[in-house]
């Protein structure tokens, strides 16, 4: 079979402590999965069913622990926001997964940033339109090395934080997730068949806000380390 043009290789995220790479398939994101963040965005945090949006696989930008990644301030926005997240990655295929079995499908975890053109997202929300231009733009999902769940265990609780130029902006714990990782995986699998390489950004806590060119974000999750990303 001949391609009209050579297809790009999949985005590959390093696996911590090895030379292995994890090929990214799809990127799912959970919206408003911390009660305090739901409140700061103007919503009732009652435990309604989770909702999801997607980013393209090539929105993922791998970030090594020993580097500061430079990402450009994106076009068409004046309100560029950070959102610190725990990321779960899927290691085997499944649909209609039961909650009690869901963590068997989680191969590992990583630190992630769901970068957002907030002004464009809000404009689309007010118009009742999809969020893609606010969420799914190029290089909008910096992500650290993936740690095997067999080594870290699963994340029922762990500190999560983000700072900008040394000032703490987000500080919470994944125990405050409205929908746990297992519940999120099980619910998502009712609507999509999950496959190896799928990546799930599990939601951000309160404290989201703007970042400007020249500022450096440090984002971390307990047991997973800390990433450094500079906006240029």
């Amino acid at each position: 079979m001949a391609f009209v043009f050579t297809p790009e290789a999949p985005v590959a995220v390093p696996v911590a402590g090895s030379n292995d790479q994890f090929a990214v398939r799809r990127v799912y994101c959970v919206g408003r999965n911390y009660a305090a963040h739901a409140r700061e965005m103007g919503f009732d945090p009652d435990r309604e069913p989770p909702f999801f949006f997607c980013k393209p696989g090539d929105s993922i930008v791998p970030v090594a622990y020993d580097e500061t990644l430079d990402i450009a301030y994106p076009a068409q926005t004046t309100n560029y926001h950070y959102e610190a997240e725990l990321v779960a990655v899927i290691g085997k295929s499944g649909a209609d997964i039961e909650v009690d079995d869901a963590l068997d499908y989680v191969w590992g975890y990583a630190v992630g940033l769901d970068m957002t053109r907030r002004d464009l997202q809000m404009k689309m929300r007010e118009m009742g339109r999809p969020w893609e231009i606010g969420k799914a733009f190029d290089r909008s999902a910096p992500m650290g090395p993936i740690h095997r769940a067999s080594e870290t265990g699963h994340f029922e609780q762990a500190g999560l934080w983000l700072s900008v130029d040394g000032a703490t902006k987000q500080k919470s714990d994944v125990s405050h997730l409205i929908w746990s990782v297992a519940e999120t995986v099980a619910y998502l699998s009712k609507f999509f068949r999950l496959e190896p390489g799928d990546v799930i950004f599990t939601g951000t806590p309160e404290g989201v806000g703007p970042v400007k060119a020249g500022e450096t974000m440090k984002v971390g999750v307990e047991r997973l380390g800390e990433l450094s990303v500079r906006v240029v």
Side-chain angles (χ1 to χ4, degrees):
M1 179 176 63
F3 291 100
V4 174
F5 56 87
T6 302
E8 292 188 7
V11 172
V13 180
V15 175
S18 78
N19 293 320
D20 294 339
Q21 301 281 320
F22 188 93
V24 175
R25 178 177 175 266
R26 293 180 179 174
V27 181
Y28 299 99
C29 304
V30 188
R32 298 196 297 266
N33 202 20
Y34 287 79
H37 174 56
R39 293 189 189 97
E40 76 178 353
M41 298 303 291
F43 293 92
D44 187 333
D46 285 346
R47 201 171 186 268
E48 62 182 359
F51 74 93
F52 301 89
F53 59 92
C54 293
K55 291 175 180 270
D58 63 5
S59 68
I60 296 289
V61 189
V63 187
Y65 286 128
D66 57 354
E67 72 175 17
T68 295
L69 173 74
D70 286 344
I71 55 173
Y73 196 100
Q76 304 297 321
T77 184
T78 58
N79 198 15
Y80 184 40
H81 275 212
Y82 50 78
E83 297 190 7
E85 308 209 9
L86 171 69
V87 180
V89 301
I90 299 300
K92 67 177 183 178
S93 177
D96 292 318
I97 298 166
E98 297 294 331
V99 172
D100 290 346
D101 299 326
L103 294 181
D104 293 340
Y105 292 79
V106 178
W107 190 87
Y109 295 91
V111 180
L113 274 169
D114 169 18
M115 301 303 297
T116 302
R117 295 192 284 202
R118 188 71 73 200
D119 45 358
L120 300 186
Q121 181 200 16
M122 293 298 100
K123 182 178 180 180
M124 293 301 101
R125 193 182 83 184
E126 291 165 3
M127 297 172 72
R129 294 179 179 176
W131 291 1
E132 272 78 3
I133 63 171
K135 287 285 192 179
F137 54 95
D138 299 340
R139 297 171 66 83
S140 61
M143 179 175 161
I146 297 169
H147 295 250
R148 295 176 177 86
S150 60
E151 297 176 357
T152 64
H154 292 287
F155 283 74
E156 295 182 1
Q157 57 183 11
L160 181 153
W161 63 90
L162 181 143
S163 65
V164 177
D165 285 351
T168 299
K169 300 296 184 179
Q170 292 185 278
K171 187 174 182 179
S172 188
D173 194 284
V174 299
S175 62
H176 296 154
L177 285 166
I178 297 172
W179 292 87
S180 69
V181 173
E183 290 170 326
T184 296
V185 169
Y187 193 84
L188 181 62
S189 75
K190 297 179 186 300
F191 300 94
F192 302 92
R193 184 172 188 84
L194 299 180
E195 299 288 352
D198 288 345
V199 171
I200 304 172
F201 280 64
T202 61
T204 195
E206 70 277 14
V208 300
V211 63
K212 300 176 182 177
E215 294 181 329
T216 298
M217 299 169 286
K218 291 187 182 296
V219 55
V221 175
E222 188 178 352
R223 307 204 306 275
L224 297 179
E226 184 176 73
L227 311 181
S228 180
V229 178
R230 179 172 53 227
V231 179
V232 297

